[in-house]
Amino acid sequence: MICPAEWFLAESAGAPEALRGRAAGYLERVLPQGGVAEALAEAAALALRETLAHDGGRSIALDLLAADALVTLALLAKAQGDPGSLAEFAAGLRTAEATLR
């Protein structure tokens, strides 16, 4: 089984360091359950929850970008590992995101 942190480092190579570091920080805070895609999705949800809980302002922008990057990478991981379940996985992400509002 591939380690989510290792997969993230390989796939995020070339991204701006500040963004990569912020996203990695969220990924480090989740317990790996399931595969790479699931860990990335959980990290994205954590980043989005923290973004929504913030009072706003420019200081939270990097967290929002990290959430977006983590969702994108979660979809990529699912597409690479199990393309047949990508649509269901993406729908699950949308449902989970709706509960955060």
Side-chain angles (χ1 to χ4, degrees):
M1 180 176 249
I2 299 171
C3 170
E6 290 176 9
W7 187 94
F8 171 82
L9 289 175
E11 292 295 329
S12 65
E17 280 304 312
L19 176 58
R20 192 174 188 218
R22 187 66 55 96
Y26 282 110
L27 185 57
E28 290 170 2
R29 292 172 51 194
V30 300
L31 298 174
Q33 297 177 16
V36 171
E38 291 76 15
L40 291 163
E42 183 59 34
L46 176 60
L48 187 55
R49 276 193 301 275
E50 290 192 8
T51 299
L52 292 172
H54 195 271
D55 60 359
R58 295 176 76 152
S59 65
I60 199 69
L62 191 56
D63 297 273
L64 182 58
L65 289 170
D68 180 64
L70 288 162
V71 166
T72 300
L73 289 171
L75 292 169
L76 175 62
K78 185 55 78 172
Q80 290 176 345
D82 187 10
S85 69
L86 179 59
E88 181 180 347
F89 182 74
L93 291 178
R94 287 186 50 93
T95 301
E97 180 269 334
T99 64
L100 295 175
R101 293 183 195 171

